[in-house]
């Protein structure tokens, strides 16, 4: 093995700071022992990951190898050759995702562009016709075809993974679903809802009925009202909505934990909830709305406790597994929280 090149690992990306609960998830739920590789990165023995994405996983880089690369150093030809040698002899479409480990660090992002160019130059010398097969990664990921080359630059060096598009868990670099803020949205929580809708893959339709528990100041309510839905916003706090959005919103100053619907009414189209409550209480909300089949779709945010977040989630995971097409994920826009989203089969 050339100097400065690690053996392969499955490198998994998560929210920086969520590494302990992510490692615990891998160990407790999948029997996989890993360790932290840096902020927002954990490394696991290769080839053992379940196909479905994990709760705290933003993206995976299967078979990734770390090339130690001090600032200003070039990629050693022997290392480049070793990395490109895993590239298939058969020509096939490929695309590239570039990831700077620390998003806020402009320095790392700039350096990454140069390192990526250098890495590709080596590839062109080693793999004839390489550029001819380059495609937009979005298309390859949409069609689950070809290979995705992921280059992640961190302080220690460059992680390189080449894996089939179908093996990745998110269609965006680093699993960073960066949503665009709407200047009329009353809170940044709006971004969480936009991301949850993208991940769910369902666009709310005009005139659908929505109940939003813990709605104030109104980011989630706004996301539905701007699409022409009718929203019942439940919260004792004030909403800060524009006049246009407010026309489609009924504000109830009530407790979202005890808010119920009459049994004879058909299920509401959407139940969404973002209350600042412990996971046990959120579980009660889930049981009422999903167990009682009072909604067709649900997006529920669960705040994680400081201590032992995974044990707090386990009963919810266990219960939701048999209830239809539901996912539990830490969204890119989530903080110390995870989101349950999905549809009921009615
Ligand atoms: C994180 S904020 C919600 C932000 C909102 N999703 C948005 O997009 O603007 C949490 C809200 O939950 C509300 N809340 C907490 N406990 C509640 C309860 N039992 N019933 C109703 N609302 C509650 C709080 O008043 C607060 O406004």
């Amino acid at each position: 093995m050339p100097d400065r090149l690690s053996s392969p690992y499955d490198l998994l990306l998560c929210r920086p700071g969520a590494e302990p609960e992510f490692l615990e998830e891998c160990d407790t739920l999948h029997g996989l022992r890993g360790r932290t590789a840096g902020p927002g990165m954990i490394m696991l023995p290769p080839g053992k990951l379940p196909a479905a994405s994990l709760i705290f996983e933003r993206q995976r880089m299967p078979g990734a190898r770390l090339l130690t690369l001090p600032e200003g150093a070039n990629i050693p030809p022997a290392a480049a050759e070793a990395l490109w040698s895993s590239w298939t002899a058969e020509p096939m479409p490929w695309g590239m995702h570039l990831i700077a480990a620390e998003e806020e660090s402009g320095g790392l992002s700039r350096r990454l562009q140069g390192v990526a160019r250098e890495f590709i130059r080596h590839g062109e010398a080693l793999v004839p016709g390489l550029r001819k097969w380059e495609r937009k990664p979005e298309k390859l990921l949409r069609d689950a075809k070809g290979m995705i080359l992921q280059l992640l630059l961190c302080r220690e060096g460059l992680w390189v993974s080449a894996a089939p598009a179908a093996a990745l868990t998110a269609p965006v670099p680093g699993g960073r679903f960066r949503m665009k803020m709407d200047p009329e949205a009353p809170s940044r929580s709006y971004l969480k809802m936009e991301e949850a809708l993208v991940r769910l893959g369902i666009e709310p339709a005009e005139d659908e009925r929505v109940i939003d528990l813990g709605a104030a100041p109104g980011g989630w309510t706004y996301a539905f009202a701007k699409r022409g839905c009718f929203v019942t916003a439940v919260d004792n706090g004030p909403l800060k909505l524009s006049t246009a959005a407010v026309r489609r919103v009924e504000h109830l100053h009530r407790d979202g934990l005890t808010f119920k619907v009459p049994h004879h009414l058909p299920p509401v189209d959407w139940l969404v909830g973002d209350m600042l409550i412990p996971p046990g209480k959120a579980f009660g909300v889930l049981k009422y709305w999903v167990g009682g089949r009072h909604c067709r779709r649900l997006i529920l945010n669960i705040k994680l406790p400081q201590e032992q977040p995974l044990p707090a989630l386990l009963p919810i995971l266990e219960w939701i597994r048999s209830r239809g097409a539901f996912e539990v994920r830490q969204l890119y826009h989530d903080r110390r929280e995870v989101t349950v989203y999905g549809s009921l089969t009615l």
Side-chain angles (χ1 to χ4, degrees), residues 79-325:
E81 201 171 332
L83 286 165
W84 281 105
S85 71
S86 63
W87 203 253
T88 171
E90 291 288 306
M92 69 153 71
W94 64 278
M96 189 160 62
H97 274 180
L98 299 183
I99 308 150
E102 290 158 47
E103 289 180 72
E104 318 308 333
S105 154
L108 266 188
S109 307
R110 275 191 299 279
R111 190 174 159 222
L112 177 57
Q113 303 297 326
V115 169
R117 276 195 298 275
E118 191 190 350
F119 186 72
I120 296 295
R121 265 200 310 277
H122 280 292
E124 285 178 287
L126 295 162
V127 185
L130 182 73
R131 282 284 187 187
K132 265 200 320 221
W133 291 93
E134 188 174 3
R135 303 283 183 277
K136 286 203 183 321
E138 306 88 74
K139 178 153 172 44
L140 297 177
L141 286 156
R142 206 170 38 243
D143 302 342
K145 285 211 176 107
M147 299 285 280
I148 303 293
L149 182 62
Q150 296 184 83
L151 301 185
L152 181 151
L153 189 65
C154 59
R155 291 186 190 275
E156 293 70 35
L158 183 70
W159 282 96
V160 180
S161 155
L168 271 62
T169 49
V172 289
R176 295 171 183 164
F177 284 83
R178 263 194 211 100
M179 307 312 293
K180 196 165 174 285
M181 190 57 190
D182 180 328
E184 282 202 34
S187 68
R188 293 194 67 77
S189 296
Y190 164 82
L191 298 170
K192 269 192 283 188
M193 179 47 69
E194 291 295 316
E195 181 183 352
L197 291 172
V198 167
R199 287 180 176 242
L200 186 60
I202 304 174
E203 183 61 16
E206 209 173 332
D207 295 340
E208 281 188 331
R209 292 177 311 124
V210 184
I211 294 176
D212 183 0
L213 305 176
W220 288 22
T221 288
Y222 174 76
F224 285 95
K226 79 180 232 185
R227 291 172 164 93
C229 300
F230 291 110
V231 188
T232 301
V234 182
D235 201 310
N236 274 317
L239 296 179
K240 296 187 181 140
L241 295 167
S242 64
T243 344
V246 121
R247 273 190 227 117
R248 298 207 153 237
V249 176
E250 166 195 34
H251 184 184
L252 301 181
H253 294 261
R254 300 259 292 275
D255 182 352
L257 290 176
T258 52
F259 185 81
K260 304 263 186 299
V261 282
H263 257 288
H264 62 274
L265 289 186
V268 69
D269 296 305
W270 296 85
L271 184 284
V272 300
D274 191 18
M275 292 179 279
L276 292 173
I277 50 173
K281 298 244 187 243
F283 190 16
V285 172
L286 195 61
K287 277 183 178 157
Y288 170 73
W289 289 95
V290 174
R293 308 172 84 74
H294 296 302
C295 59
R296 293 173 54 220
R297 294 169 186 134
L298 171 134
I299 298 176
L300 185 68
N301 191 271
I302 299 182
K303 315 292 170 193
L304 296 176
Q306 281 308 323
E307 300 291 322
Q308 303 211 303
L310 195 69
L313 281 181
L314 288 179
I316 298 177
L317 294 174
E318 185 61 30
W319 188 85
I320 202 76
R321 198 174 294 152
S322 55
R323 293 299 191 292

Side-chain angles (χ1 to χ4, degrees), residues 1-7 65-68 76-83:
M1 188 184 308
D3 249 5
R4 293 162 46 186
L5 197 57
S6 77
S7 49
R65 299 175 75 181
L66 174 66
L67 169 65
T68 310
E81 201 171 332
L83 286 165

